[in-house]
Protein backbone atom coordinates (compact mmCIF):
# COMPACT_ATOMS: atom_id res chain seq x y z
CA UNK A 1 0.00 0.00 0.00
CA UNK A 2 1.35 3.41 -0.96
CA UNK A 3 1.41 5.89 1.90
CA UNK A 4 0.84 9.55 1.15
CA UNK A 5 3.45 11.47 3.16
CA UNK A 6 3.00 15.18 3.69
CA UNK A 7 5.07 17.57 5.80
CA UNK A 8 3.50 20.79 7.09
CA UNK A 9 6.31 23.33 7.32
CA UNK A 10 6.87 26.80 8.76
CA UNK A 11 9.95 28.94 9.34
CA UNK A 12 10.85 32.01 11.36
CA UNK A 13 13.49 34.40 10.03
CA UNK A 14 15.61 37.43 10.91
CA UNK A 15 13.65 39.59 8.44
CA UNK A 16 11.61 39.54 5.26
CA UNK A 17 14.05 39.21 2.36
CA UNK A 18 16.80 36.59 1.91
CA UNK A 19 18.27 38.69 -0.91
CA UNK A 20 19.06 41.31 1.75
CA UNK A 21 21.00 38.74 3.75
CA UNK A 22 18.21 37.65 6.09
CA UNK A 23 18.39 34.10 7.45
CA UNK A 24 16.23 31.30 8.84
CA UNK A 25 16.31 31.05 12.63
CA UNK A 26 13.67 28.37 13.24
CA UNK A 27 12.22 25.46 11.24
CA UNK A 28 9.14 23.54 12.35
CA UNK A 29 7.75 20.49 10.52
CA UNK A 30 4.78 18.25 11.28
CA UNK A 31 4.39 14.91 9.49
CA UNK A 32 1.10 13.61 8.07
CA UNK A 33 0.75 10.13 6.62
CA UNK A 34 -2.55 9.39 4.90
CA UNK A 35 -3.90 12.62 6.45
CA UNK A 36 -3.09 11.51 9.99
CA UNK A 37 -0.67 13.23 12.38
CA UNK A 38 2.14 10.79 13.19
CA UNK A 39 3.92 12.72 15.96
CA UNK A 40 7.13 12.41 13.94
CA UNK A 41 7.98 16.13 13.85
CA UNK A 42 11.12 18.10 13.09
CA UNK A 43 12.06 21.24 15.01
CA UNK A 44 15.29 23.22 15.00
CA UNK A 45 16.49 26.67 16.07
CA UNK A 46 19.38 28.11 14.06
CA UNK A 47 22.23 30.58 14.65
CA UNK A 48 21.90 33.18 11.84
CA UNK A 49 25.27 34.95 12.23
CA UNK A 50 23.52 38.31 11.92
CA UNK A 51 21.22 40.54 13.96
CA UNK A 52 17.47 39.93 13.93
CA UNK A 53 15.31 42.87 12.83
CA UNK A 54 13.40 44.41 15.73
CA UNK A 55 10.15 44.03 13.80
CA UNK A 56 10.81 40.30 13.42
CA UNK A 57 11.52 39.91 17.15
CA UNK A 58 8.15 41.53 17.87
CA UNK A 59 6.49 38.85 15.70
CA UNK A 60 8.25 35.69 16.91
CA UNK A 61 9.97 36.73 20.16
CA UNK A 62 13.26 35.02 19.29
CA UNK A 63 16.44 36.94 20.23
CA UNK A 64 20.06 36.71 19.11
CA UNK A 65 21.04 35.84 22.70
CA UNK A 66 18.74 32.80 22.63
CA UNK A 67 20.25 31.63 19.32
CA UNK A 68 23.89 32.19 20.23
CA UNK A 69 24.57 28.51 21.05
CA UNK A 70 22.37 26.98 18.33
CA UNK A 71 23.73 25.17 15.26
CA UNK A 72 24.01 26.76 11.82
CA UNK A 73 22.00 25.62 8.80
CA UNK A 74 25.00 23.81 7.31
CA UNK A 75 25.18 21.70 10.50
CA UNK A 76 21.58 20.47 10.23
CA UNK A 77 21.01 20.62 6.46
CA UNK A 78 21.50 16.89 5.88
CA UNK A 79 19.04 15.86 8.62
CA UNK A 80 16.46 18.48 7.65
CA UNK A 81 16.55 17.69 3.93
CA UNK A 82 16.38 13.95 4.67
CA UNK A 83 13.23 14.59 6.76
CA UNK A 84 11.40 16.47 3.98
CA UNK A 85 12.81 14.54 1.01
CA UNK A 86 10.10 13.23 -1.31
CA UNK A 87 7.21 14.55 0.79
CA UNK A 88 4.55 17.01 -0.29
CA UNK A 89 5.31 20.20 1.64
CA UNK A 90 2.25 22.08 2.92
CA UNK A 91 3.11 25.74 3.56
CA UNK A 92 1.07 28.91 4.09
CA UNK A 93 2.54 31.47 1.67
CA UNK A 94 5.01 28.96 0.26
CA UNK A 95 7.19 31.36 -1.81
CA UNK A 96 8.39 32.99 1.43
CA UNK A 97 9.55 29.78 3.17
CA UNK A 98 10.76 28.04 0.00
CA UNK A 99 12.72 31.17 -0.98
CA UNK A 100 14.46 31.24 2.39
CA UNK A 101 15.22 27.50 2.42
CA UNK A 102 16.65 27.62 -1.11
CA UNK A 103 18.74 30.66 -0.13
CA UNK A 104 20.19 28.68 2.77
CA UNK A 105 20.93 25.76 0.43
CA UNK A 106 22.75 28.12 -1.97
CA UNK A 107 24.85 29.44 0.92
CA UNK A 108 26.08 25.96 1.88
CA UNK A 109 26.95 25.29 -1.79
CA UNK A 110 29.57 28.01 -1.39
CA UNK A 111 31.06 25.94 1.44
CA UNK A 112 31.32 22.85 -0.76
CA UNK A 113 28.06 21.08 0.12
CA UNK A 114 25.80 20.15 -2.79
CA UNK A 115 22.03 19.79 -2.57
CA UNK A 116 19.02 20.33 -4.85
CA UNK A 117 16.60 23.20 -4.14
CA UNK A 118 13.79 22.06 -1.86
CA UNK A 119 11.14 22.54 -4.56
CA UNK A 120 13.02 20.00 -6.71
CA UNK A 121 13.06 17.49 -3.85
CA UNK A 122 9.42 17.98 -2.83
CA UNK A 123 6.03 18.90 -4.23
CA UNK A 124 4.78 22.18 -2.76
CA UNK A 125 1.17 22.86 -1.74
CA UNK A 126 0.46 26.48 -0.78
CA UNK A 127 -2.52 26.73 1.59
CA UNK A 128 -2.64 30.51 1.10
CA UNK A 129 -3.35 29.97 -2.62
CA UNK A 130 -5.97 27.35 -1.68
CA UNK A 131 -7.63 29.71 0.81
CA UNK A 132 -7.73 32.58 -1.71
CA UNK A 133 -9.44 30.33 -4.27
CA UNK A 134 -11.93 28.97 -1.72
CA UNK A 135 -12.62 32.33 -0.02
CA UNK A 136 -11.90 35.13 -2.50
CA UNK A 137 -11.99 38.68 -1.21
CA UNK A 138 -11.59 37.60 2.43
CA UNK A 139 -8.64 37.75 4.80
CA UNK A 140 -6.63 34.56 4.41
CA UNK A 141 -3.73 34.99 6.82
CA UNK A 142 -3.30 32.01 9.16
CA UNK A 143 -5.19 33.63 12.06
CA UNK A 144 -8.16 34.50 9.83
CA UNK A 145 -8.28 30.99 8.34
CA UNK A 146 -8.16 29.53 11.88
CA UNK A 147 -11.20 31.61 12.84
CA UNK A 148 -13.06 30.57 9.67
CA UNK A 149 -12.53 26.86 10.36
CA UNK A 150 -12.86 27.20 14.16
CA UNK A 151 -9.29 26.00 14.77
CA UNK A 152 -8.12 26.78 18.32
CA UNK A 153 -4.99 28.92 18.13
CA UNK A 154 -5.35 30.43 21.60
CA UNK A 155 -1.75 29.49 22.44
CA UNK A 156 -0.52 31.64 19.56
CA UNK A 157 0.42 34.90 21.31
CA UNK A 158 3.68 34.95 19.34
CA UNK A 159 4.54 33.10 16.16
CA UNK A 160 6.62 29.97 16.49
CA UNK A 161 7.53 27.69 13.60
CA UNK A 162 6.55 24.37 15.20
CA UNK A 163 3.36 25.76 16.76
CA UNK A 164 2.38 27.38 13.45
CA UNK A 165 3.06 24.12 11.59
CA UNK A 166 0.84 22.21 14.05
CA UNK A 167 -1.93 24.81 13.62
CA UNK A 168 -1.54 24.77 9.83
CA UNK A 169 -1.86 20.97 9.82
CA UNK A 170 -5.26 21.32 11.52
CA UNK A 171 -6.23 24.08 9.06
CA UNK A 172 -5.20 22.02 6.03
CA UNK A 173 -7.16 18.99 7.22
CA UNK A 174 -10.22 21.18 7.83
CA UNK A 175 -9.89 22.87 4.43
CA UNK A 176 -9.62 19.58 2.53
CA UNK A 177 -11.75 17.28 4.68
CA UNK A 178 -15.25 18.65 4.06
CA UNK A 179 -17.53 18.67 1.07
CA UNK A 180 -17.65 22.43 0.63
CA UNK A 181 -17.85 23.41 -3.00
CA UNK A 182 -20.30 20.67 -4.05
CA UNK A 183 -23.04 23.32 -4.04
CA UNK A 184 -22.63 27.07 -3.86
CA UNK A 185 -23.91 28.89 -0.78
CA UNK A 186 -26.82 30.60 -2.51
CA UNK A 187 -28.32 27.30 -3.69
CA UNK A 188 -27.78 25.48 -0.41
CA UNK A 189 -29.15 28.33 1.70
CA UNK A 190 -32.14 28.70 -0.61
CA UNK A 191 -32.98 25.03 -0.25
CA UNK A 192 -32.80 25.35 3.54
CA UNK A 193 -35.09 28.39 3.54
CA UNK A 194 -37.78 26.60 1.56
CA UNK A 195 -37.41 23.11 2.98
CA UNK A 196 -40.87 23.20 4.62
CA UNK A 197 -42.78 24.14 1.45
CA UNK A 198 -44.75 21.39 -0.33
CA UNK A 199 -44.26 21.36 -4.09
CA UNK A 200 -47.02 19.54 -6.00
CA UNK A 201 -46.14 18.08 -9.40
CA UNK A 202 -48.66 18.12 -12.25
CA UNK A 203 -49.50 14.46 -13.01
CA UNK A 204 -50.06 15.36 -16.69
CA UNK A 205 -46.60 16.83 -17.15
CA UNK A 206 -44.37 15.82 -20.07
CA UNK A 207 -41.96 12.92 -19.31
CA UNK A 208 -38.62 14.18 -18.07
CA UNK A 209 -35.73 13.64 -20.49
CA UNK A 210 -32.96 11.27 -19.35
CA UNK A 211 -29.57 12.87 -19.99
CA UNK A 212 -26.64 10.46 -19.78
CA UNK A 213 -23.12 11.55 -18.99
CA UNK A 214 -20.78 11.93 -21.94
CA UNK A 215 -17.55 9.97 -22.18
CA UNK A 216 -15.56 13.10 -21.23
CA UNK A 217 -17.81 13.70 -18.21
CA UNK A 218 -17.39 10.08 -17.07
CA UNK A 219 -13.60 10.44 -17.35
CA UNK A 220 -13.68 13.70 -15.37
CA UNK A 221 -15.83 12.01 -12.70
CA UNK A 222 -13.39 9.09 -12.48
CA UNK A 223 -10.45 11.49 -12.04
CA UNK A 224 -12.37 13.28 -9.29
CA UNK A 225 -13.07 9.99 -7.47
CA UNK A 226 -9.38 9.07 -7.72
CA UNK A 227 -8.44 12.44 -6.20
CA UNK A 228 -10.91 11.86 -3.34
CA UNK A 229 -9.38 8.43 -2.67
CA UNK A 230 -5.85 9.86 -2.73
CA UNK A 231 -6.74 12.60 -0.24
CA UNK A 232 -8.71 10.24 2.00
CA UNK A 233 -6.11 7.49 1.85
CA UNK A 234 -8.72 4.81 1.24
CA UNK A 235 -11.53 3.58 -1.01
CA UNK A 236 -14.26 6.04 -1.97
CA UNK A 237 -17.70 5.29 -0.51
CA UNK A 238 -19.35 6.29 -3.78
CA UNK A 239 -17.61 3.40 -5.55
CA UNK A 240 -18.95 0.96 -2.95
CA UNK A 241 -22.47 2.33 -3.39
CA UNK A 242 -22.12 2.01 -7.16
CA UNK A 243 -21.15 -1.66 -6.82
CA UNK A 244 -24.34 -2.59 -4.95
Amino acid sequence: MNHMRQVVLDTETTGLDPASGHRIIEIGCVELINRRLTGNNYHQYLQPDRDIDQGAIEVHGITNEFLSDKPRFIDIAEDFLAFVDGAELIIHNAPFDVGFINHEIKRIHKDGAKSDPVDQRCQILDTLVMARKMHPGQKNDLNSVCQRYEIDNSQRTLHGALLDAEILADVYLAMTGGQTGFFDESRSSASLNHSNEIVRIDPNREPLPVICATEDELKAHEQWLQKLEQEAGGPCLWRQLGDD
Side-chain angles (χ1 to χ4, degrees):
M1 178 180 178
N2 291 327
H3 294 290
M4 179 174 66
R5 184 171 185 264
Q6 297 168 301
V7 171
V8 187
L9 179 146
D10 188 59
T11 63
E12 300 296 348
T13 63
T14 62
L16 296 176
D17 186 5
S20 301
H22 284 292
R23 307 288 304 277
I24 294 175
I25 56 174
E26 185 187 9
I27 302 172
C29 298
V30 173
E31 183 185 62
L32 296 172
I33 292 183
N34 294 337
R35 295 177 56 80
R36 294 184 182 276
L37 292 162
T38 67
N40 178 29
N41 300 336
Y42 178 91
H43 183 226
Q44 184 64 63
Y45 290 105
L46 297 169
Q47 156 68 260
D49 290 314
R50 61 155 292 150
D51 286 340
I52 304 170
D53 282 1
Q54 186 58 39
I57 295 174
E58 290 170 5
V59 170
H60 51 57
I62 302 171
T63 64
N64 282 101
E65 291 75 21
F66 175 75
L67 298 173
S68 61
D69 63 343
K70 302 299 185 286
R72 291 167 173 81
F73 184 83
I74 193 170
D75 301 320
I76 61 93
E78 185 175 351
D79 287 344
F80 164 64
L81 293 171
F83 184 85
V84 300
D85 196 36
E88 179 180 55
L89 293 186
I90 299 170
I91 308 172
H92 204 70
N93 191 20
F96 179 88
D97 301 87
V98 170
F100 264 96
I101 293 168
N102 285 344
H103 182 73
E104 295 287 352
I105 290 171
K106 283 181 183 177
R107 287 181 64 96
I108 64 174
H109 281 188
K110 294 176 184 176
D111 295 325
K114 295 291 182 184
S115 183
D116 293 330
V118 72
D119 47 335
Q120 290 183 20
R121 308 172 70 102
C122 306
Q123 288 185 304
I124 309 293
L125 189 155
D126 191 338
T127 50
L128 178 58
V129 173
M130 284 179 58
R132 284 172 173 165
K133 287 180 180 177
M134 294 169 70
H135 309 284
Q138 300 182 46
K139 285 186 175 181
N140 287 300
D141 59 274
L142 190 54
N143 278 338
S144 298
V145 178
C146 284
Q147 290 177 356
R148 185 174 302 135
Y149 288 94
E150 299 181 346
I151 304 297
D152 179 18
N153 65 340
S154 56
Q155 301 176 58
R156 196 173 184 260
T157 51
L158 293 173
H159 289 257
L162 185 59
L163 176 61
D164 280 6
E166 290 171 341
I167 290 169
L168 182 57
D170 289 340
V171 165
Y172 166 74
L173 292 172
M175 289 174 71
T176 57
Q179 294 184 340
T180 54
F182 282 16
F183 305 100
D184 62 54
E185 290 183 6
S186 61
R187 285 178 61 187
S188 59
S189 60
S191 64
L192 287 172
N193 291 339
H194 300 289
S195 59
N196 293 327
E197 294 183 7
I198 297 174
V199 179
R200 302 191 185 279
I201 299 175
D202 184 354
N204 298 316
R205 72 188 188 284
E206 289 289 324
L208 295 174
V210 177
I211 301 174
C212 297
T214 66
E215 187 174 342
D216 286 345
E217 288 169 339
L218 289 171
K219 285 181 181 177
H221 180 65
E222 174 62 26
Q223 289 172 354
W224 185 67
L225 291 179
Q226 289 175 3
K227 184 180 178 183
L228 277 181
E229 289 180 329
Q230 184 181 12
E231 291 182 349
C236 176
L237 181 60
W238 283 11
R239 288 197 197 280
Q240 298 174 30
L241 292 173
D243 293 338
D244 292 340

